[in-house]
Amino acid sequence: MKLPAPRGPLGASLTDLLVHPPRDTDAVDEEVLTRWRDAATTTDPITDDDLQLTLWTLYALHYRGFDGVDDAWEWDPDLLRLRRVLEDAFESALLDQVPVPAPTAPELEAVAAALFAMTAPVPGPSVARYVSRSADATQAEEFLVHRSLYTLMEADPHTWAIPRLTGAPKAAMVEVQSDEYGGGRPDRMHSALFACTMRGAGLVDEYGYYVDRLPAVTIAALNVMSLFGLHRRWRGAIAGHLAAFEMTSSLPNRLYGDGFRRLGHDEGTTDYFDEHVEADAVHEQIAGRDLAGRLAEQEPDLVGDILFGAAACLYLDELVGRHLLDAWSAGASSLRAP
Amino acid sequence: MTGRSPQPATIEACPNGPLLVRGDVELVDADGKPIERHRRTVALCRCGTSAIAPFCDGSHKAIGFVTPS
């Protein structure tokens, strides 16, 4: 994957470092740190292009890295300092903006019921309904491009949580992730199925290929998973995020499949969506009950975080959805200009 | 699958949702013909409105299906 084009001072500063291997002379002084802090002080970190893209770039070093970028940067202390500055801003914005769920008892049935209530289908406009009935071929492609940032590495951010869990919640997480990773069949990995969908729509299936076209909100929706996944203190939130993600998947994926069939796409292209109708009806039960519910019983103090993780997932998905529908209803592209 | 010991079946009745089936269970249709399982754990429709029956597709949520307590 190529490094993305910087969108501001944070990205420019990071790119300047990443073009060569880490050296002692790179040591970030107080002045640089102050510049980073200033650049991260923004009215809305969630929709700030420079902040979200730079954070995504830092996270990407922990996943697959970039062509020509030394792998040693992953644990470079100065980059971790930069990451912390950005994460602090992002976290504050989330705590500020995400609606706080009602207090819930740390019991399996109560937590599962709260999660299902938060994610219950609502009538009204949605990206899934739009894709199903109205989207044209260009809008359907845009939808895939937005989805590709996460889906071509589907399940990876939640996998960080596995060694941080024990007992029943761990077994539940592994059960879901094993299915996400194809149950031992590489061709059935959900990321591989989505790659098929991308190719079927005439798009490039290489991870990160379209990142320069994506707005901050789409990047933020993935960054929140990496934030929750990479910090053990957020293990409740990553469990709640997965539960909410799975609980809002089956019904929309049926509509996405219908939309792509309406546009004349074949089974190879719609397989990803059809697979998720069945898979996520299973996963939502496991993630809601055995993962989130059991984790709440095991660590009662995490109930608030579990529900916050779910609420953050829904909040960011809503922002992305609104971005797409607003652009399309204005007759505009939802992507940044190439 | 050789060397794999049989796993006793469990069926979990999820409140207001499907039956979650784990372990060795043979699914057959009304004529006794096997129904292919695509994953180790499956969710069977309990509300009667799934479009992919006998598997669950989440439709119970759209119709507000409530299991008797």
Side-chain angles (χ1 to χ4, degrees), chain A residues 109 121 175 179 247 250-251 254 275 277-279 281-282 284-286 289-290, chain B residues 12 14-15 18 20 22 38-39 41-43 51-52 55-61:
Chain A
E109 298 299 347
E175 189 178 24
D179 208 32
M247 287 174 178
S250 283
L251 297 171
R254 184 166 72 190
E275 158 71 8
V277 172
E278 187 189 319
V282 177
E284 69 179 0
Q285 298 297 339
I286 302 171
R289 299 173 57 75
D290 302 315
Chain B
E12 184 179 345
C14 301
L20 210 57
R22 293 183 173 95
H38 306 115
R39 61 201 71 254
T41 302
V42 294
I52 56 165
F55 302 111
C56 170
D57 69 354
S59 290
H60 57 274
K61 298 189 289 184

PDB file of all heavy atoms in Angstrom, chain A residues 109 121 175 179 247 250-251 254 275 277-279 281-282 284-286 289-290, chain B residues 12 14-15 18 20 22 38-39 41-43 51-52 55-61:
ATOM      1  N   GLU A 109     -28.638 -11.190  30.107  1.00  0.00           N
ATOM      2  CA  GLU A 109     -29.892 -10.864  29.419  1.00  0.00           C
ATOM      3  C   GLU A 109     -30.125  -9.362  29.351  1.00  0.00           C
ATOM      4  O   GLU A 109     -30.609  -8.846  28.341  1.00  0.00           O
ATOM      5  CB  GLU A 109     -31.085 -11.558  30.092  1.00  0.00           C
ATOM      6  CG  GLU A 109     -31.036 -13.084  30.074  1.00  0.00           C
ATOM      7  CD  GLU A 109     -31.013 -13.695  28.663  1.00  0.00           C
ATOM      8  OE1 GLU A 109     -31.278 -12.980  27.669  1.00  0.00           O
ATOM      9  OE2 GLU A 109     -30.696 -14.895  28.550  1.00  0.00           O
ATOM     10  N   PRO A 121     -34.044  -2.012  14.263  1.00  0.00           N
ATOM     11  CA  PRO A 121     -34.230  -1.329  12.978  1.00  0.00           C
ATOM     12  C   PRO A 121     -35.201  -0.153  13.110  1.00  0.00           C
ATOM     13  O   PRO A 121     -36.190  -0.252  13.832  1.00  0.00           O
ATOM     14  CB  PRO A 121     -34.838  -2.409  12.067  1.00  0.00           C
ATOM     15  CG  PRO A 121     -34.930  -3.664  12.855  1.00  0.00           C
ATOM     16  CD  PRO A 121     -34.510  -3.391  14.257  1.00  0.00           C
ATOM     17  N   GLU A 175     -15.103 -17.499  18.271  1.00  0.00           N
ATOM     18  CA  GLU A 175     -16.117 -18.169  17.449  1.00  0.00           C
ATOM     19  C   GLU A 175     -16.579 -17.255  16.303  1.00  0.00           C
ATOM     20  O   GLU A 175     -16.693 -17.681  15.157  1.00  0.00           O
ATOM     21  CB  GLU A 175     -17.314 -18.568  18.332  1.00  0.00           C
ATOM     22  CG  GLU A 175     -18.317 -19.464  17.609  1.00  0.00           C
ATOM     23  CD  GLU A 175     -19.483 -19.892  18.506  1.00  0.00           C
ATOM     24  OE1 GLU A 175     -19.785 -19.189  19.490  1.00  0.00           O
ATOM     25  OE2 GLU A 175     -20.106 -20.917  18.196  1.00  0.00           O
ATOM     26  N   ASP A 179     -15.345 -17.468  11.998  1.00  0.00           N
ATOM     27  CA  ASP A 179     -16.289 -17.424  10.886  1.00  0.00           C
ATOM     28  C   ASP A 179     -15.936 -16.270   9.936  1.00  0.00           C
ATOM     29  O   ASP A 179     -15.994 -16.408   8.711  1.00  0.00           O
ATOM     30  CB  ASP A 179     -17.696 -17.257  11.459  1.00  0.00           C
ATOM     31  CG  ASP A 179     -18.761 -17.864  10.559  1.00  0.00           C
ATOM     32  OD1 ASP A 179     -18.467 -18.864   9.879  1.00  0.00           O
ATOM     33  OD2 ASP A 179     -19.884 -17.338  10.534  1.00  0.00           O
ATOM     34  N   MET A 247     -25.136  -6.553  14.920  1.00  0.00           N
ATOM     35  CA  MET A 247     -26.588  -6.400  15.071  1.00  0.00           C
ATOM     36  C   MET A 247     -27.201  -5.491  14.019  1.00  0.00           C
ATOM     37  O   MET A 247     -28.415  -5.461  13.869  1.00  0.00           O
ATOM     38  CB  MET A 247     -26.905  -5.838  16.465  1.00  0.00           C
ATOM     39  CG  MET A 247     -26.700  -6.859  17.569  1.00  0.00           C
ATOM     40  SD  MET A 247     -26.915  -6.087  19.187  1.00  0.00           S
ATOM     41  CE  MET A 247     -26.694  -7.511  20.256  1.00  0.00           C
ATOM     42  N   SER A 250     -27.340  -7.931   9.277  1.00  0.00           N
ATOM     43  CA  SER A 250     -28.135  -8.888   8.490  1.00  0.00           C
ATOM     44  C   SER A 250     -29.156  -8.210   7.577  1.00  0.00           C
ATOM     45  O   SER A 250     -29.182  -8.447   6.372  1.00  0.00           O
ATOM     46  CB  SER A 250     -28.893  -9.843   9.415  1.00  0.00           C
ATOM     47  OG  SER A 250     -28.032 -10.807   9.909  1.00  0.00           O
ATOM     48  N   LEU A 251     -30.006  -7.381   8.179  1.00  0.00           N
ATOM     49  CA  LEU A 251     -31.101  -6.776   7.401  1.00  0.00           C
ATOM     50  C   LEU A 251     -30.552  -5.825   6.328  1.00  0.00           C
ATOM     51  O   LEU A 251     -30.959  -5.915   5.171  1.00  0.00           O
ATOM     52  CB  LEU A 251     -32.100  -6.079   8.338  1.00  0.00           C
ATOM     53  CG  LEU A 251     -32.825  -7.025   9.327  1.00  0.00           C
ATOM     54  CD1 LEU A 251     -33.625  -6.220  10.354  1.00  0.00           C
ATOM     55  CD2 LEU A 251     -33.738  -8.004   8.597  1.00  0.00           C
ATOM     56  N   ARG A 254     -29.096  -7.697   3.264  1.00  0.00           N
ATOM     57  CA  ARG A 254     -30.079  -8.223   2.311  1.00  0.00           C
ATOM     58  C   ARG A 254     -30.435  -7.123   1.307  1.00  0.00           C
ATOM     59  O   ARG A 254     -30.522  -7.361   0.104  1.00  0.00           O
ATOM     60  CB  ARG A 254     -31.340  -8.693   3.048  1.00  0.00           C
ATOM     61  CG  ARG A 254     -32.329  -9.323   2.081  1.00  0.00           C
ATOM     62  CD  ARG A 254     -33.395 -10.085   2.804  1.00  0.00           C
ATOM     63  NE  ARG A 254     -34.338  -9.196   3.473  1.00  0.00           N
ATOM     64  CZ  ARG A 254     -35.264  -9.616   4.342  1.00  0.00           C
ATOM     65  NH1 ARG A 254     -35.348 -10.880   4.664  1.00  0.00           N
ATOM     66  NH2 ARG A 254     -36.097  -8.769   4.886  1.00  0.00           N
ATOM     67  N   GLU A 275     -23.882 -13.699   2.105  1.00  0.00           N
ATOM     68  CA  GLU A 275     -23.209 -14.421   3.187  1.00  0.00           C
ATOM     69  C   GLU A 275     -23.471 -13.728   4.534  1.00  0.00           C
ATOM     70  O   GLU A 275     -23.690 -14.379   5.550  1.00  0.00           O
ATOM     71  CB  GLU A 275     -21.697 -14.490   2.902  1.00  0.00           C
ATOM     72  CG  GLU A 275     -20.784 -14.729   4.106  1.00  0.00           C
ATOM     73  CD  GLU A 275     -20.863 -16.131   4.691  1.00  0.00           C
ATOM     74  OE1 GLU A 275     -21.516 -16.998   4.098  1.00  0.00           O
ATOM     75  OE2 GLU A 275     -20.271 -16.337   5.779  1.00  0.00           O
ATOM     76  N   VAL A 277     -26.010 -11.922   5.461  1.00  0.00           N
ATOM     77  CA  VAL A 277     -27.391 -12.042   5.953  1.00  0.00           C
ATOM     78  C   VAL A 277     -27.458 -13.217   6.923  1.00  0.00           C
ATOM     79  O   VAL A 277     -27.973 -13.100   8.040  1.00  0.00           O
ATOM     80  CB  VAL A 277     -28.370 -12.255   4.772  1.00  0.00           C
ATOM     81  CG1 VAL A 277     -29.761 -12.579   5.287  1.00  0.00           C
ATOM     82  CG2 VAL A 277     -28.390 -11.025   3.867  1.00  0.00           C
ATOM     83  N   GLU A 278     -26.878 -14.344   6.493  1.00  0.00           N
ATOM     84  CA  GLU A 278     -26.935 -15.550   7.336  1.00  0.00           C
ATOM     85  C   GLU A 278     -25.902 -15.494   8.463  1.00  0.00           C
ATOM     86  O   GLU A 278     -26.219 -15.793   9.629  1.00  0.00           O
ATOM     87  CB  GLU A 278     -26.704 -16.790   6.464  1.00  0.00           C
ATOM     88  CG  GLU A 278     -26.909 -18.087   7.228  1.00  0.00           C
ATOM     89  CD  GLU A 278     -26.481 -19.319   6.444  1.00  0.00           C
ATOM     90  OE1 GLU A 278     -26.743 -19.384   5.216  1.00  0.00           O
ATOM     91  OE2 GLU A 278     -25.847 -20.207   7.050  1.00  0.00           O
ATOM     92  N   ALA A 279     -24.681 -15.111   8.136  1.00  0.00           N
ATOM     93  CA  ALA A 279     -23.599 -15.146   9.130  1.00  0.00           C
ATOM     94  C   ALA A 279     -23.884 -14.208  10.293  1.00  0.00           C
ATOM     95  O   ALA A 279     -23.719 -14.563  11.462  1.00  0.00           O
ATOM     96  CB  ALA A 279     -22.277 -14.767   8.475  1.00  0.00           C
ATOM     97  N   ALA A 281     -26.669 -12.992  11.399  1.00  0.00           N
ATOM     98  CA  ALA A 281     -27.804 -13.389  12.246  1.00  0.00           C
ATOM     99  C   ALA A 281     -27.315 -14.345  13.336  1.00  0.00           C
ATOM    100  O   ALA A 281     -27.883 -14.410  14.418  1.00  0.00           O
ATOM    101  CB  ALA A 281     -28.894 -14.040  11.402  1.00  0.00           C
ATOM    102  N   VAL A 282     -26.230 -15.076  13.036  1.00  0.00           N
ATOM    103  CA  VAL A 282     -25.583 -15.927  14.051  1.00  0.00           C
ATOM    104  C   VAL A 282     -24.686 -15.057  14.935  1.00  0.00           C
ATOM    105  O   VAL A 282     -24.760 -15.103  16.166  1.00  0.00           O
ATOM    106  CB  VAL A 282     -24.725 -17.032  13.369  1.00  0.00           C
ATOM    107  CG1 VAL A 282     -24.008 -17.864  14.426  1.00  0.00           C
ATOM    108  CG2 VAL A 282     -25.584 -17.906  12.467  1.00  0.00           C
ATOM    109  N   GLU A 284     -24.645 -11.922  15.635  1.00  0.00           N
ATOM    110  CA  GLU A 284     -25.236 -10.918  16.533  1.00  0.00           C
ATOM    111  C   GLU A 284     -25.668 -11.563  17.850  1.00  0.00           C
ATOM    112  O   GLU A 284     -25.616 -10.918  18.891  1.00  0.00           O
ATOM    113  CB  GLU A 284     -26.395 -10.173  15.865  1.00  0.00           C
ATOM    114  CG  GLU A 284     -27.634 -11.009  15.610  1.00  0.00           C
ATOM    115  CD  GLU A 284     -28.757 -10.192  14.974  1.00  0.00           C
ATOM    116  OE1 GLU A 284     -28.572  -8.981  14.734  1.00  0.00           O
ATOM    117  OE2 GLU A 284     -29.824 -10.779  14.708  1.00  0.00           O
ATOM    118  N   GLN A 285     -26.085 -12.818  17.791  1.00  0.00           N
ATOM    119  CA  GLN A 285     -26.468 -13.506  19.029  1.00  0.00           C
ATOM    120  C   GLN A 285     -25.233 -13.822  19.865  1.00  0.00           C
ATOM    121  O   GLN A 285     -25.213 -13.606  21.073  1.00  0.00           O
ATOM    122  CB  GLN A 285     -27.239 -14.803  18.705  1.00  0.00           C
ATOM    123  CG  GLN A 285     -28.560 -14.581  17.955  1.00  0.00           C
ATOM    124  CD  GLN A 285     -29.588 -13.785  18.742  1.00  0.00           C
ATOM    125  OE1 GLN A 285     -29.525 -13.701  19.979  1.00  0.00           O
ATOM    126  NE2 GLN A 285     -30.537 -13.170  18.055  1.00  0.00           N
ATOM    127  N   ILE A 286     -24.202 -14.322  19.213  1.00  0.00           N
ATOM    128  CA  ILE A 286     -22.971 -14.675  19.940  1.00  0.00           C
ATOM    129  C   ILE A 286     -22.329 -13.411  20.523  1.00  0.00           C
ATOM    130  O   ILE A 286     -21.924 -13.378  21.691  1.00  0.00           O
ATOM    131  CB  ILE A 286     -21.968 -15.404  19.015  1.00  0.00           C
ATOM    132  CG1 ILE A 286     -22.604 -16.672  18.424  1.00  0.00           C
ATOM    133  CG2 ILE A 286     -20.680 -15.744  19.769  1.00  0.00           C
ATOM    134  CD1 ILE A 286     -21.759 -17.337  17.342  1.00  0.00           C
ATOM    135  N   ARG A 289     -24.756 -11.783  23.282  1.00  0.00           N
ATOM    136  CA  ARG A 289     -24.999 -12.575  24.492  1.00  0.00           C
ATOM    137  C   ARG A 289     -23.690 -13.117  25.091  1.00  0.00           C
ATOM    138  O   ARG A 289     -23.320 -12.799  26.204  1.00  0.00           O
ATOM    139  CB  ARG A 289     -25.954 -13.725  24.154  1.00  0.00           C
ATOM    140  CG  ARG A 289     -27.324 -13.216  23.641  1.00  0.00           C
ATOM    141  CD  ARG A 289     -28.197 -14.344  23.148  1.00  0.00           C
ATOM    142  NE  ARG A 289     -28.404 -15.349  24.195  1.00  0.00           N
ATOM    143  CZ  ARG A 289     -29.210 -15.181  25.242  1.00  0.00           C
ATOM    144  NH1 ARG A 289     -29.900 -14.058  25.359  1.00  0.00           N
ATOM    145  NH2 ARG A 289     -29.330 -16.124  26.138  1.00  0.00           N
ATOM    146  N   ASP A 290     -23.001 -13.946  24.296  1.00  0.00           N
ATOM    147  CA  ASP A 290     -21.843 -14.664  24.847  1.00  0.00           C
ATOM    148  C   ASP A 290     -20.600 -13.782  24.978  1.00  0.00           C
ATOM    149  O   ASP A 290     -19.779 -13.997  25.867  1.00  0.00           O
ATOM    150  CB  ASP A 290     -21.516 -15.884  23.979  1.00  0.00           C
ATOM    151  CG  ASP A 290     -22.708 -16.827  23.875  1.00  0.00           C
ATOM    152  OD1 ASP A 290     -23.324 -17.094  24.915  1.00  0.00           O
ATOM    153  OD2 ASP A 290     -23.026 -17.265  22.755  1.00  0.00           O
TER     154      ASP A 290
ATOM    155  N   GLU B  12     -29.463 -23.234  21.877  1.00  0.00           N
ATOM    156  CA  GLU B  12     -29.710 -22.106  22.776  1.00  0.00           C
ATOM    157  C   GLU B  12     -30.895 -21.307  22.227  1.00  0.00           C
ATOM    158  O   GLU B  12     -30.854 -20.827  21.091  1.00  0.00           O
ATOM    159  CB  GLU B  12     -28.441 -21.237  22.826  1.00  0.00           C
ATOM    160  CG  GLU B  12     -28.501 -20.085  23.795  1.00  0.00           C
ATOM    161  CD  GLU B  12     -27.182 -19.282  23.792  1.00  0.00           C
ATOM    162  OE1 GLU B  12     -26.165 -19.788  23.270  1.00  0.00           O
ATOM    163  OE2 GLU B  12     -27.188 -18.147  24.303  1.00  0.00           O
ATOM    164  N   CYS B  14     -32.559 -18.151  21.917  1.00  0.00           N
ATOM    165  CA  CYS B  14     -32.238 -16.741  22.157  1.00  0.00           C
ATOM    166  C   CYS B  14     -33.540 -15.960  22.341  1.00  0.00           C
ATOM    167  O   CYS B  14     -34.430 -16.046  21.489  1.00  0.00           O
ATOM    168  CB  CYS B  14     -31.461 -16.174  20.972  1.00  0.00           C
ATOM    169  SG  CYS B  14     -29.926 -17.055  20.652  1.00  0.00           S
ATOM    170  N   PRO B  15     -33.656 -15.190  23.411  1.00  0.00           N
ATOM    171  CA  PRO B  15     -34.892 -14.440  23.644  1.00  0.00           C
ATOM    172  C   PRO B  15     -35.255 -13.563  22.438  1.00  0.00           C
ATOM    173  O   PRO B  15     -34.382 -12.866  21.899  1.00  0.00           O
ATOM    174  CB  PRO B  15     -34.555 -13.574  24.860  1.00  0.00           C
ATOM    175  CG  PRO B  15     -33.442 -14.296  25.541  1.00  0.00           C
ATOM    176  CD  PRO B  15     -32.663 -14.971  24.467  1.00  0.00           C
ATOM    177  N   PRO B  18     -33.579 -16.316  17.282  1.00  0.00           N
ATOM    178  CA  PRO B  18     -33.501 -17.675  16.732  1.00  0.00           C
ATOM    179  C   PRO B  18     -33.052 -18.729  17.748  1.00  0.00           C
ATOM    180  O   PRO B  18     -32.800 -18.425  18.910  1.00  0.00           O
ATOM    181  CB  PRO B  18     -32.428 -17.515  15.650  1.00  0.00           C
ATOM    182  CG  PRO B  18     -31.521 -16.464  16.203  1.00  0.00           C
ATOM    183  CD  PRO B  18     -32.407 -15.507  16.942  1.00  0.00           C
ATOM    184  N   LEU B  20     -29.991 -21.035  18.460  1.00  0.00           N
ATOM    185  CA  LEU B  20     -28.576 -21.111  18.102  1.00  0.00           C
ATOM    186  C   LEU B  20     -28.115 -22.548  18.320  1.00  0.00           C
ATOM    187  O   LEU B  20     -28.196 -23.064  19.433  1.00  0.00           O
ATOM    188  CB  LEU B  20     -27.796 -20.148  18.999  1.00  0.00           C
ATOM    189  CG  LEU B  20     -26.530 -19.518  18.455  1.00  0.00           C
ATOM    190  CD1 LEU B  20     -26.797 -18.757  17.165  1.00  0.00           C
ATOM    191  CD2 LEU B  20     -25.934 -18.570  19.491  1.00  0.00           C
ATOM    192  N   ARG B  22     -25.228 -25.434  18.152  1.00  0.00           N
ATOM    193  CA  ARG B  22     -23.803 -25.765  18.113  1.00  0.00           C
ATOM    194  C   ARG B  22     -23.653 -27.269  18.235  1.00  0.00           C
ATOM    195  O   ARG B  22     -24.484 -27.931  18.855  1.00  0.00           O
ATOM    196  CB  ARG B  22     -23.060 -25.098  19.268  1.00  0.00           C
ATOM    197  CG  ARG B  22     -22.990 -23.588  19.213  1.00  0.00           C
ATOM    198  CD  ARG B  22     -22.154 -23.066  20.381  1.00  0.00           C
ATOM    199  NE  ARG B  22     -21.903 -21.638  20.307  1.00  0.00           N
ATOM    200  CZ  ARG B  22     -22.651 -20.720  20.932  1.00  0.00           C
ATOM    201  NH1 ARG B  22     -23.685 -21.078  21.654  1.00  0.00           N
ATOM    202  NH2 ARG B  22     -22.357 -19.438  20.821  1.00  0.00           N
ATOM    203  N   HIS B  38     -23.467 -23.990   6.391  1.00  0.00           N
ATOM    204  CA  HIS B  38     -22.349 -23.199   5.874  1.00  0.00           C
ATOM    205  C   HIS B  38     -21.361 -22.784   6.948  1.00  0.00           C
ATOM    206  O   HIS B  38     -20.345 -22.189   6.673  1.00  0.00           O
ATOM    207  CB  HIS B  38     -22.868 -21.943   5.177  1.00  0.00           C
ATOM    208  CG  HIS B  38     -23.883 -22.229   4.116  1.00  0.00           C
ATOM    209  ND1 HIS B  38     -25.185 -21.815   4.203  1.00  0.00           N
ATOM    210  CD2 HIS B  38     -23.785 -22.934   2.966  1.00  0.00           C
ATOM    211  CE1 HIS B  38     -25.853 -22.231   3.141  1.00  0.00           C
ATOM    212  NE2 HIS B  38     -25.027 -22.920   2.376  1.00  0.00           N
ATOM    213  N   ARG B  39     -21.710 -23.046   8.212  1.00  0.00           N
ATOM    214  CA  ARG B  39     -20.830 -22.627   9.305  1.00  0.00           C
ATOM    215  C   ARG B  39     -21.031 -23.562  10.472  1.00  0.00           C
ATOM    216  O   ARG B  39     -22.032 -24.279  10.524  1.00  0.00           O
ATOM    217  CB  ARG B  39     -21.106 -21.175   9.686  1.00  0.00           C
ATOM    218  CG  ARG B  39     -22.527 -20.909  10.168  1.00  0.00           C
ATOM    219  CD  ARG B  39     -22.905 -19.449  10.035  1.00  0.00           C
ATOM    220  NE  ARG B  39     -23.077 -19.090   8.628  1.00  0.00           N
ATOM    221  CZ  ARG B  39     -22.211 -18.366   7.935  1.00  0.00           C
ATOM    222  NH1 ARG B  39     -21.144 -17.882   8.510  1.00  0.00           N
ATOM    223  NH2 ARG B  39     -22.419 -18.115   6.667  1.00  0.00           N
ATOM    224  N   THR B  41     -21.581 -22.936  13.717  1.00  0.00           N
ATOM    225  CA  THR B  41     -22.729 -22.569  14.550  1.00  0.00           C
ATOM    226  C   THR B  41     -23.783 -21.948  13.641  1.00  0.00           C
ATOM    227  O   THR B  41     -23.458 -21.060  12.842  1.00  0.00           O
ATOM    228  CB  THR B  41     -22.294 -21.560  15.625  1.00  0.00           C
ATOM    229  OG1 THR B  41     -21.247 -22.149  16.402  1.00  0.00           O
ATOM    230  CG2 THR B  41     -23.446 -21.183  16.535  1.00  0.00           C
ATOM    231  N   VAL B  42     -25.014 -22.439  13.727  1.00  0.00           N
ATOM    232  CA  VAL B  42     -26.071 -21.879  12.879  1.00  0.00           C
ATOM    233  C   VAL B  42     -27.210 -21.353  13.746  1.00  0.00           C
ATOM    234  O   VAL B  42     -27.398 -21.784  14.891  1.00  0.00           O
ATOM    235  CB  VAL B  42     -26.627 -22.915  11.866  1.00  0.00           C
ATOM    236  CG1 VAL B  42     -25.565 -23.310  10.851  1.00  0.00           C
ATOM    237  CG2 VAL B  42     -27.192 -24.143  12.565  1.00  0.00           C
ATOM    238  N   ALA B  43     -27.948 -20.397  13.178  1.00  0.00           N
ATOM    239  CA  ALA B  43     -29.131 -19.852  13.855  1.00  0.00           C
ATOM    240  C   ALA B  43     -30.348 -20.274  13.050  1.00  0.00           C
ATOM    241  O   ALA B  43     -30.424 -20.010  11.846  1.00  0.00           O
ATOM    242  CB  ALA B  43     -29.035 -18.329  13.933  1.00  0.00           C
ATOM    243  N   ALA B  51     -36.279 -15.213   5.111  1.00  0.00           N
ATOM    244  CA  ALA B  51     -36.255 -15.467   3.668  1.00  0.00           C
ATOM    245  C   ALA B  51     -35.227 -16.544   3.326  1.00  0.00           C
ATOM    246  O   ALA B  51     -35.125 -16.948   2.166  1.00  0.00           O
ATOM    247  CB  ALA B  51     -35.940 -14.174   2.922  1.00  0.00           C
ATOM    248  N   ILE B  52     -34.452 -16.977   4.298  1.00  0.00           N
ATOM    249  CA  ILE B  52     -33.445 -18.019   4.046  1.00  0.00           C
ATOM    250  C   ILE B  52     -33.677 -19.206   4.978  1.00  0.00           C
ATOM    251  O   ILE B  52     -32.745 -19.875   5.400  1.00  0.00           O
ATOM    252  CB  ILE B  52     -32.002 -17.472   4.193  1.00  0.00           C
ATOM    253  CG1 ILE B  52     -31.792 -16.846   5.581  1.00  0.00           C
ATOM    254  CG2 ILE B  52     -31.658 -16.506   3.081  1.00  0.00           C
ATOM    255  CD1 ILE B  52     -30.326 -16.611   5.947  1.00  0.00           C
ATOM    256  N   PHE B  55     -32.683 -21.116   8.118  1.00  0.00           N
ATOM    257  CA  PHE B  55     -31.752 -20.261   8.851  1.00  0.00           C
ATOM    258  C   PHE B  55     -32.378 -18.899   9.134  1.00  0.00           C
ATOM    259  O   PHE B  55     -33.260 -18.437   8.399  1.00  0.00           O
ATOM    260  CB  PHE B  55     -30.442 -20.110   8.063  1.00  0.00           C
ATOM    261  CG  PHE B  55     -29.779 -21.426   7.775  1.00  0.00           C
ATOM    262  CD1 PHE B  55     -29.715 -21.929   6.480  1.00  0.00           C
ATOM    263  CD2 PHE B  55     -29.243 -22.192   8.808  1.00  0.00           C
ATOM    264  CE1 PHE B  55     -29.127 -23.158   6.220  1.00  0.00           C
ATOM    265  CE2 PHE B  55     -28.650 -23.418   8.557  1.00  0.00           C
ATOM    266  CZ  PHE B  55     -28.596 -23.901   7.253  1.00  0.00           C
ATOM    267  N   CYS B  56     -31.866 -18.262  10.172  1.00  0.00           N
ATOM    268  CA  CYS B  56     -32.332 -16.929  10.573  1.00  0.00           C
ATOM    269  C   CYS B  56     -31.687 -15.869   9.681  1.00  0.00           C
ATOM    270  O   CYS B  56     -30.516 -15.980   9.322  1.00  0.00           O
ATOM    271  CB  CYS B  56     -31.938 -16.696  12.040  1.00  0.00           C
ATOM    272  SG  CYS B  56     -32.181 -15.006  12.625  1.00  0.00           S
ATOM    273  N   ASP B  57     -32.451 -14.855   9.300  1.00  0.00           N
ATOM    274  CA  ASP B  57     -31.879 -13.725   8.549  1.00  0.00           C
ATOM    275  C   ASP B  57     -32.109 -12.391   9.267  1.00  0.00           C
ATOM    276  O   ASP B  57     -31.997 -11.328   8.657  1.00  0.00           O
ATOM    277  CB  ASP B  57     -32.432 -13.676   7.118  1.00  0.00           C
ATOM    278  CG  ASP B  57     -33.910 -13.290   7.091  1.00  0.00           C
ATOM    279  OD1 ASP B  57     -34.533 -13.182   8.175  1.00  0.00           O
ATOM    280  OD2 ASP B  57     -34.444 -13.104   5.978  1.00  0.00           O
ATOM    281  N   GLY B  58     -32.445 -12.481  10.549  1.00  0.00           N
ATOM    282  CA  GLY B  58     -32.633 -11.246  11.331  1.00  0.00           C
ATOM    283  C   GLY B  58     -34.025 -10.644  11.195  1.00  0.00           C
ATOM    284  O   GLY B  58     -34.313  -9.619  11.818  1.00  0.00           O
ATOM    285  N   SER B  59     -34.915 -11.278  10.400  1.00  0.00           N
ATOM    286  CA  SER B  59     -36.249 -10.701  10.161  1.00  0.00           C
ATOM    287  C   SER B  59     -37.073 -10.556  11.431  1.00  0.00           C
ATOM    288  O   SER B  59     -37.966  -9.705  11.494  1.00  0.00           O
ATOM    289  CB  SER B  59     -37.038 -11.551   9.164  1.00  0.00           C
ATOM    290  OG  SER B  59     -36.492 -11.431   7.881  1.00  0.00           O
ATOM    291  N   HIS B  60     -36.793 -11.402  12.435  1.00  0.00           N
ATOM    292  CA  HIS B  60     -37.557 -11.307  13.692  1.00  0.00           C
ATOM    293  C   HIS B  60     -37.506  -9.894  14.274  1.00  0.00           C
ATOM    294  O   HIS B  60     -38.433  -9.451  14.925  1.00  0.00           O
ATOM    295  CB  HIS B  60     -37.023 -12.323  14.720  1.00  0.00           C
ATOM    296  CG  HIS B  60     -35.570 -12.185  15.023  1.00  0.00           C
ATOM    297  ND1 HIS B  60     -34.585 -12.800  14.264  1.00  0.00           N
ATOM    298  CD2 HIS B  60     -34.912 -11.487  15.965  1.00  0.00           C
ATOM    299  CE1 HIS B  60     -33.403 -12.490  14.754  1.00  0.00           C
ATOM    300  NE2 HIS B  60     -33.562 -11.693  15.784  1.00  0.00           N
ATOM    301  N   LYS B  61     -36.384  -9.179  14.008  1.00  0.00           N
ATOM    302  CA  LYS B  61     -36.251  -7.830  14.553  1.00  0.00           C
ATOM    303  C   LYS B  61     -37.163  -6.860  13.810  1.00  0.00           C
ATOM    304  O   LYS B  61     -37.716  -5.942  14.400  1.00  0.00           O
ATOM    305  CB  LYS B  61     -34.795  -7.368  14.460  1.00  0.00           C
ATOM    306  CG  LYS B  61     -33.857  -8.254  15.270  1.00  0.00           C
ATOM    307  CD  LYS B  61     -32.465  -7.676  15.346  1.00  0.00           C
ATOM    308  CE  LYS B  61     -31.751  -7.764  14.016  1.00  0.00           C
ATOM    309  NZ  LYS B  61     -30.363  -7.301  14.098  1.00  0.00           N
TER     310      LYS B  61
END
